Amino acid sequence: MYEVVFENSNGKRFTFGPSGCSHFAINMAEGMEITLGKSQGFAQIGETVETQSVSGRHIDVTGELYGNIVERKNALRNTCAPLASGRLVFNGTHYIRVYVKAAPSFSVVKNNGLFKMQFYAPFPFFYEFTESYFRIGGMVKNFRFPVNYAKPHRFGTRQSARYVNIINPGDVRVPFRMVIRSEGVSSNATITNLTTFAYLKINGSLNTGEYITIYRDENNVLRAELTSGDTVTDVITWLDDDSSLFELESGDNLISANDDQGGAALVVSIAFNPAVGVLYES
């Protein structure tokens, strides 16, 4: 029997499943409707599909509480209160960010544990918990114990390749967290997908010890922050207006990193969680 845990933004948790003294059903394997942007030219037979987009997902949960029903009702009501948000965690392997769309409702019959409620997920896909990580540039550690000091040994090797193939094994393209730093001086760093030619350019300079973090927050809002010592500064205005590399495509992503100095001191790390469209109980 699988379990689903709702972790709300205030730190409260409720478990749907045996650990939470409940039987439940949840629509996590249903398909989604895709919105198509279409056009039709003069005397054209059929239509041309120009854009595809997917809206959010409604997640219905129904079930029955058992054990101390009054206690379980209060726990569900308090955790999934109106205006609550957080994430649903599926068996500890996948999660999806959600808002409470319809707060729990219960049977009016005393000691009847039947309930129903609804969540809404703005990003309709299920992220894997396991994060994938890639890096371009920097030092690769070579030092290992045990070590024989009588023989020459190397503490680290600088990566010479200025690109990496990032494989996204998920069903769809996903946002990522990118950290750009320099082991010297870097001006106008540019990260490019050599397959799609989408790029992300920073119109600014980094000195040793400084780094820029680019990511999407829990509300899917794009952020760019410069960290210099203990100071963190919003530098979203540093992103070039024509930048379009904010997601990793499903499959291969040949990513390169360069700057006005040839990229020799540039170090770029990219982390992401692959996502799937549906989950199944088994």
Side-chain angles (χ1 to χ4, degrees), residues 261-282:
Q261 289 73 33
L266 195 61
V267 181
V268 178
S269 61
I270 298 174
F272 69 99
N273 296 81
V276 297
V278 297
L279 292 178
Y280 303 98
E281 180 177 350
S282 59

Side-chain angles (χ1 to χ4, degrees), residues 250-264:
S250 177
D252 292 336
N253 295 265
L254 192 59
I255 305 297
S256 71
N258 212 334
D259 58 18
D260 289 353
Q261 289 73 33

Side-chain angles (χ1 to χ4, degrees), residues 25-47:
I26 185 170
N27 59 328
M28 63 181 185
E30 293 185 359
M32 291 167 288
E33 182 177 349
I34 294 87
T35 301
L36 303 177
K38 299 174 289 185
S39 65
Q40 188 175 44
F42 175 73
Q44 178 182 349
I45 298 176
E47 297 174 309

Side-chain angles (χ1 to χ4, degrees), residues 181-186 205-211:
R181 64 183 177 88
S182 178
E183 295 177 344
V185 177
S186 173
S205 297
L206 290 172
N207 297 311
T208 302
E210 296 180 334
Y211 60 91

Side-chain angles (χ1 to χ4, degrees), residues 27-242:
N27 59 328
M28 63 181 185
E30 293 185 359
M32 291 167 288
E33 182 177 349
I34 294 87
T35 301
L36 303 177
K38 299 174 289 185
S39 65
Q40 188 175 44
F42 175 73
Q44 178 182 349
I45 298 176
E47 297 174 309
T48 300
V49 175
E50 297 181 337
T51 61
Q52 296 173 285
S53 62
V54 180
S55 299
R57 176 197 292 266
H58 290 89
I59 300 177
D60 298 305
V61 185
T62 58
E64 184 176 8
L65 306 172
Y66 58 86
N68 189 329
I69 294 178
V70 173
E71 179 184 276
R72 301 312 299 155
K73 281 184 177 180
N74 287 334
L76 179 58
R77 183 183 294 112
N78 292 337
T79 306
C80 303
L83 306 181
S85 63
R87 66 180 183 177
L88 291 172
V89 180
F90 298 82
N91 266 0
T93 63
H94 292 79
Y95 69 93
I96 188 170
R97 300 195 183 282
V98 294
Y99 293 81
V100 172
K101 182 68 167 57
S105 60
F106 305 94
S107 170
V108 296
V109 179
K110 186 177 181 180
N111 293 326
N112 186 315
L114 293 176
F115 71 91
K116 63 179 179 179
M117 64 169 302
Q118 186 181 74
F119 294 100
Y120 180 75
F123 183 78
F125 300 99
F126 301 92
Y127 286 113
E128 291 184 12
F129 250 105
T130 303
E131 187 178 67
S132 296
Y133 176 86
F134 294 83
R135 188 177 67 174
I136 305 172
M139 300 292 293
V140 178
K141 296 178 182 179
N142 298 128
F143 188 76
R144 297 287 189 276
F145 284 105
V147 60
N148 183 355
Y149 286 100
K151 296 181 179 181
H153 53 276
R154 189 186 300 271
F155 288 93
T157 303
R158 180 176 294 278
Q159 293 188 26
S160 58
R162 305 307 309 156
Y163 63 89
V164 64
N165 185 23
I166 298 178
I167 300 175
N168 173 11
D171 296 342
V172 296
R173 59 179 182 265
V174 291
F176 53 80
R177 185 181 73 256
M178 178 185 293
V179 178
I180 304 173
R181 64 183 177 88
S182 178
E183 295 177 344
V185 177
S186 173
S187 301
N188 303 324
T190 303
I191 317 303
T192 306
N193 186 325
L194 299 177
T195 304
T196 64
F197 299 107
Y199 69 87
L200 188 157
K201 183 178 180 181
I202 302 295
N203 292 320
S205 297
L206 290 172
N207 297 311
T208 302
E210 296 180 334
Y211 60 91
I212 291 178
T213 306
I214 300 169
Y215 65 100
R216 289 192 180 274
D217 64 16
E218 294 184 356
N219 291 317
N220 208 31
V221 176
L222 184 66
R223 304 290 188 186
E225 298 170 343
L226 169 67
T227 301
S228 180
D230 296 329
T231 303
V232 179
T233 306
D234 182 1
V235 291
I236 193 69
T237 57
W238 287 22
L239 297 185
D240 191 85
D241 290 342
D242 292 326

Side-chain angles (χ1 to χ4, degrees), residues 4-47:
V4 178
V5 180
F6 175 57
E7 301 175 345
N8 76 14
S9 56
N10 293 325
K12 296 180 180 179
R13 294 162 53 96
F14 186 90
T15 300
F16 298 97
S19 297
C21 296
S22 65
H23 306 294
F24 74 103
I26 185 170
N27 59 328
M28 63 181 185
E30 293 185 359
M32 291 167 288
E33 182 177 349
I34 294 87
T35 301
L36 303 177
K38 299 174 289 185
S39 65
Q40 188 175 44
F42 175 73
Q44 178 182 349
I45 298 176
E47 297 174 309

